[in-house]
Amino acid sequence: MDSLRIEGGVPLKGEIVVSGAKNAALPLIAAGLVTDGTLRLRNVPDLVDTGSMEVLLRNHGMDVGRTGDMLVIGGSATNFDAPYDLVRKMRASILVLGPLLARYGQARVSLPGGCAIGTRPVDLHIRAMQAFGAIVELADGYIQARAPGGLTGARVVFPMVSVGATENAMIAATLAKGTSEIVNAAREPEISDLAECLIAMGARITGHGTDTITIEGVDSLGDATHDVIPDRIEAGTFAIAAAITGGELTLQNARARHLDSLFEVLRRCGITIDENDDGIRVAANGGIGSADITTDPFPGFPTDLQAQFMALMCLADGSSRISETVFENRFMHVPELMRMGADIQVDGGIAMVRGKPSLTPAPVMATDLRASVSLVLAALATEGTSEVSRIYHLDRGYSDLEAKLGQCGARMHRV
Ligand code: EPZ
């Protein structure tokens, strides 16, 4: 198992090109199943997770080819099973349910099972498919769904905001007979990116980016070429890297309006953030102020940046209260940060962090994707040698992290 050895204490300085968004690319690749035409996706990040989704589509019988950052998806599905050994590696596999049902009237998708950050149920996905008229049974750890006469448009009201369930419902509705409305829909930029791609294929969608999305069903979808939006979580991670190491980074290809909630908090902590023609410049100005955050669906503070922000608050002047409201167990980075001397107390979904002038280097262990990068950030800010183990978690969501940070002065290498 790979580890990252990090010599910390060096302020990062330079430019970083932000890659395409993992959490946009995954539903976009799944959407390749719903069209009769060919889908060309550009700016697709080269990650373990996008690779898993490509394997899953090939498993369904699709033609999937990658040349550089372009993915070309065509052909048609001949196998409607998403097996456990593929799905358990990547929960986002559940996103094949909607497109398979919409276009082929059948799907047999393994229940994804939980992961480190929570039980991750898929009940909202299933209820949305049932609302569209699908017959869904759970047996042998699989979701067995069928819609022999096709799907029928419906009004789907989600009791809570779910990114994945909104995406599954939106894709399914594109081919359902009649009009569908998704109420209490997720508003993440990745939802809007998926809607724009589906519209390019011929879907009729309005309201994406708001909490109510309306879809007029069409008979079939055609060819499309679509550029994946930049990864706001990767960009936010690098912004925090500049702040925590006391450096200055310019983020290229990032979209500032996708990071309003993070940037508002970082500015309150004394970090300079300017948008210019080169991109977004993030610069530390000496100390780091403390600030409280509560994670929320977009446009609130992203849960996917909570661990990274906590690492920053461990070195802030003062205390901060971090409330995680989206997932029930997303503090796995806390015991590891405490091994580096961080002063954190957890009570349910609340973490109280008392900032300190410095942490101490230590061997630490990654547990999930965003926890692993928060440990890398803490190590980069700490004089001495730290080692982050089980970094296969990191490779799921960050491409070329060592290269990107290394070119800005980070001393880190894989062992
Ligand atoms: C997406 O996961 C992202 N993954 C997650 O990013 C992100 O943390 C999450 O949205 C929230 O923004 C991808 O886009 C591939 P949800 P998703 O459905 O869709 C509960 C990362 O690090 N829920 O919005 O699975 C669920 O348990 C990953 O890149 C149900 O109860 O998240 C959670 O508590 C981690 N029933 C809450 O809703 C359901 O049927 C929000 O989950 C579905 C979800």
Side-chain angles (χ1 to χ4, degrees):
M1 254 184 246
D2 282 357
S3 294
L4 261 186
R5 186 165 294 155
I6 298 167
E7 299 288 333
V10 178
L12 298 183
K13 294 194 189 310
E15 281 88 34
I16 298 187
V17 178
V18 174
S19 300
K22 167 177 86 79
N23 291 350
L26 294 175
L28 286 166
I29 296 170
L33 285 163
V34 78
T35 179
D36 289 0
T38 299
L39 174 60
R40 285 175 177 75
L41 293 172
R42 293 186 300 217
N43 198 30
V44 180
D46 188 6
L47 303 166
V48 168
D49 274 8
T50 48
S52 301
M53 193 60 99
E54 291 168 40
V55 167
L56 186 57
L57 257 66
R58 290 194 192 98
N59 174 67
H60 287 306
M62 300 294 288
D63 305 322
V64 182
R66 179 188 267 270
T67 44
D69 75 351
M70 158 98 89
L71 214 50
V72 182
I73 303 167
S76 54
T78 51
N79 162 25
F80 309 109
D81 273 30
Y84 179 58
D85 67 317
L86 288 181
V87 173
R88 70 184 171 79
K89 287 192 196 102
M90 195 200 42
R91 303 180 25 73
S93 309
I94 188 72
L95 293 171
V96 303
L97 177 64
L100 285 174
L101 264 181
R103 186 162 173 230
Y104 301 99
Q106 59 180 310
R108 184 172 175 272
V109 181
S110 168
L111 282 164
C115 72
I117 63 178
T119 53
R120 310 289 296 277
V122 289
D123 55 316
L124 300 180
H125 298 248
I126 291 168
R127 278 168 37 190
M129 299 306 121
Q130 289 169 324
F132 292 131
I135 299 148
V136 182
E137 278 129 26
L138 298 185
D140 320 319
Y142 277 78
I143 301 166
Q144 310 197 32
R146 54 196 169 81
L151 298 176
T152 307
R155 186 165 186 269
V156 178
V157 181
F158 285 125
M160 62 187 292
V161 172
S162 162
V163 171
T166 299
E167 290 164 343
N168 245 333
M170 193 162 69
I171 298 175
T174 57
L175 297 183
K177 292 178 197 61
T179 302
S180 298
E181 203 180 34
I182 303 173
V183 180
N184 200 16
R187 299 162 53 189
E188 272 67 5
E190 292 77 27
I191 302 280
S192 298
D193 200 37
L194 175 61
E196 292 303 329
C197 179
L198 292 167
I199 290 166
M201 292 176 184
R204 296 169 58 192
I205 303 174
T206 54
H208 43 290
T210 75
D211 60 7
T212 304
I213 303 174
T214 304
I215 301 110
E216 299 288 335
V218 294
D219 293 338
S220 66
L221 297 173
D223 298 342
T225 299
H226 181 80
D227 294 329
V228 179
I229 52 170
D231 194 319
R232 62 192 168 100
I233 304 302
E234 187 191 29
T237 303
F238 293 141
I240 295 172
I244 202 170
T245 59
E248 174 176 334
L249 291 175
T250 296
L251 310 178
Q252 290 163 354
N253 283 1
R255 291 192 192 163
R257 70 178 183 284
H258 290 169
L259 285 157
D260 283 342
S261 55
L262 172 71
F263 287 174
E264 187 277 327
V265 168
L266 288 182
R267 285 185 175 115
R268 258 191 293 137
C269 296
I271 307 299
T272 300
I273 298 172
D274 300 318
E275 258 197 282
N276 54 43
D277 297 349
D278 284 345
I280 302 169
R281 189 179 73 90
V282 181
N285 301 297
I288 300 163
S290 63
D292 299 344
I293 60 158
T294 298
T295 64
D296 249 339
F298 193 88
F301 191 96
T303 174
D304 290 349
L305 285 171
Q306 176 260 109
Q308 298 92 314
F309 186 75
M310 186 184 290
L312 182 65
M313 289 298 100
C314 291
L315 293 165
D317 311 326
S319 296
S320 67
R321 182 181 183 278
I322 294 178
S323 169
E324 171 57 60
T325 70
V326 178
F327 289 106
E328 69 265 28
N329 184 35
R330 206 169 193 176
F331 284 150
M332 308 280 277
H333 41 288
V334 168
E336 298 306 308
L337 288 169
M338 291 170 73
R339 287 175 48 74
M340 297 181 72
D343 180 350
I344 308 170
Q345 274 161 356
V346 169
D347 177 9
I350 310 281
M352 285 306 297
V353 183
R354 284 193 183 78
K356 302 173 83 167
S358 64
L359 297 177
T360 49
V364 289
M365 187 178 77
T367 50
D368 58 270
L369 168 57
R370 307 302 176 181
S372 52
V373 85
S374 103
L375 300 175
V376 170
L377 295 177
L380 286 171
T382 301
E383 299 270 349
T385 304
S386 298
E387 196 158 307
V388 181
S389 62
R390 302 193 177 184
I391 54 159
Y392 57 86
H393 291 291
L394 209 60
D395 299 335
R396 296 191 49 182
Y398 292 92
S399 57
D400 317 322
L401 188 75
E402 294 107 279
K404 288 178 178 175
L405 293 177
Q407 75 190 19
C408 299
R411 293 180 306 204
M412 55 200 280
H413 62 280
R414 208 160 278 239
V415 294

